[in-house]
Amino acid sequence: METILHTLDAGILTLTINRPDKLNALNSQVLAELDTTIKDVYINPAIHGVIITGAGPKSFVAGADITEFSGLSKEQAFLLARKGQDIFSFIEQCPKPVIAAVNGFALGGGCELALACHIRIASSNARFGQPEVNLGLIPGYGGTQRLTRLVGKGLAMEWILSGNLVDAAEAHRTGLVNHVTAPESLLSTATTLLQTILSKSPTAVSRSIQAIHAAFDKTEAEGFEREAELFSDCAGSEEMMEGVAAFIEKRKPAFRK
Ligand code: COA
């Protein structure tokens, strides 16, 4: 792959979007490579969790590649938005945990990429925004939906309508990111959190992700039903037996063989 660097260490795949001279803007090649990569994450047993970050000190991803927008027809724009939405939904629905380590600008498609990840950690120099209104566009890779669900309608309206950027402290205060770190601690903070998650029952982690998503795409009653199904799915598994036995025997559970 040319535009995404892969590092696999102890089950953690770190993906680095690697176009630093273009602030890691998402051109069609990055999108295609992201699509291939995330599909591999689903099926590759060596990958237990993912960190997504950007190359260089300045930018996570500064948006879709604007140079590819010239001459975009309405039909092409619709298909492009659907393609981006599908890839980001694949990230969101991934049964393995995905953390965005936001190391600078997360604008437009970059903010949408971070929003599709399960958890966001930002360096203190991160800046978030959906500045598409400056281009005569709206967010097209899920931003109007995911930002609204994460921070609420009022803030999403303000940020998307004004195109204003939000710094790391405001992103933290509003729940857009879970933690803010010094730039030099960003990857270690993301790795430590992911290691904690990966030490838990993989089945329980993946079912938790599914159950939490149900809070957004189902009614509350349907969400309770889904939670019960997923709870029952975990019951009686080797992992549950190991977790319960470890508690009784006063030792740490070993979920991965
Ligand atoms: N698409 C394509 N190229 C981009 C880009 C994008 N979204 N964002 C940045 N770049 C390119 C710039 O064109 C520039 O390339 P060049 O050196 O060949 O001219 C390079 O990345 C560096 O960006 P530059 O604008 O010089 O950096 P800056 O520090 O002055 O400004 C930003 C940083 C992020 C404020 C500015 O690049 C910007 O506004 N980018 C677009 C953000 C955006 O609208 N994203 C949503 C797209 S839908």
Side-chain angles (χ1 to χ4, degrees), residues 207-248:
R207 301 303 182 271
S208 298
I209 292 169
Q210 290 176 49
I212 292 164
H213 285 325
F216 291 93
D217 52 24
K218 296 185 184 307
T219 65
E220 191 179 56
E222 289 167 345
F224 285 143
E225 176 78 16
R226 187 78 186 116
E227 182 184 79
E229 284 167 8
L230 292 162
F231 182 82
S232 136
D233 207 21
C234 296
S237 68
E238 266 186 45
E239 289 171 32
M240 189 199 111
M241 288 189 274
E242 167 62 8
V244 172
F247 176 81
I248 292 166

Side-chain angles (χ1 to χ4, degrees), residues 30-79:
V30 181
L31 277 185
E33 292 184 2
L34 203 49
D35 189 27
T36 305
T37 302
I38 200 67
K39 284 177 178 157
D40 184 53
V41 170
Y42 274 61
I43 57 172
N44 188 334
I47 301 170
H48 301 156
V50 179
I51 295 171
I52 301 181
T53 193
K58 194 170 163 182
S59 182
F60 174 69
V61 167
D65 191 317
I66 298 168
T67 61
E68 293 186 349
F69 285 174
S70 325
L72 200 65
S73 69
K74 289 188 187 302
E75 292 73 21
Q76 288 167 329
F78 182 82
L79 293 175

Side-chain angles (χ1 to χ4, degrees), residues 23-26 31 59-66 69 88 104-116 127-135 137-144 146-147 159-160 163-166 176:
L23 303 186
N24 306 318
L26 301 173
L31 277 185
S59 182
F60 174 69
V61 167
D65 191 317
I66 298 168
F69 285 174
F88 287 7
F105 289 116
L107 306 181
C111 188
E112 291 167 303
L113 174 60
L115 286 165
R127 295 185 81 193
F128 295 81
Q130 297 287 166
E132 287 87 346
V133 284
N134 295 320
L135 303 168
L137 286 169
I138 73 166
Y141 295 169
T144 60
R146 290 198 181 94
L147 185 66
W159 296 348
I160 292 173
N164 284 344
L165 305 194
V166 168
L176 178 52

Side-chain angles (χ1 to χ4, degrees), residues 74-190:
K74 289 188 187 302
E75 292 73 21
Q76 288 167 329
F78 182 82
L79 293 175
L80 178 64
R82 292 308 264 170
K83 188 164 91 176
Q85 288 170 357
D86 285 350
I87 296 167
F88 287 7
S89 290
F90 245 85
I91 294 172
E92 185 174 54
Q93 299 298 331
C94 185
K96 301 172 186 179
V98 183
I99 296 181
V102 180
N103 57 308
F105 289 116
L107 306 181
C111 188
E112 291 167 303
L113 174 60
L115 286 165
C117 296
H118 300 137
I119 293 169
R120 284 149 294 285
I121 299 178
S123 65
S124 51
N125 69 330
R127 295 185 81 193
F128 295 81
Q130 297 287 166
E132 287 87 346
V133 284
N134 295 320
L135 303 168
L137 286 169
I138 73 166
Y141 295 169
T144 60
Q145 307 305 299
R146 290 198 181 94
L147 185 66
T148 306
R149 287 171 177 193
L150 192 61
V151 303
K153 193 173 178 181
L155 286 175
M157 282 283 184
E158 179 181 334
W159 296 348
I160 292 173
L161 271 51
S162 70
N164 284 344
L165 305 194
V166 168
D167 65 15
E170 190 174 0
H172 187 228
R173 189 178 55 74
T174 53
L176 178 52
V177 303
N178 294 37
H179 303 281
V180 178
T181 73
E184 59 275 17
S185 313
L186 178 65
L187 283 182
S188 62
T189 303

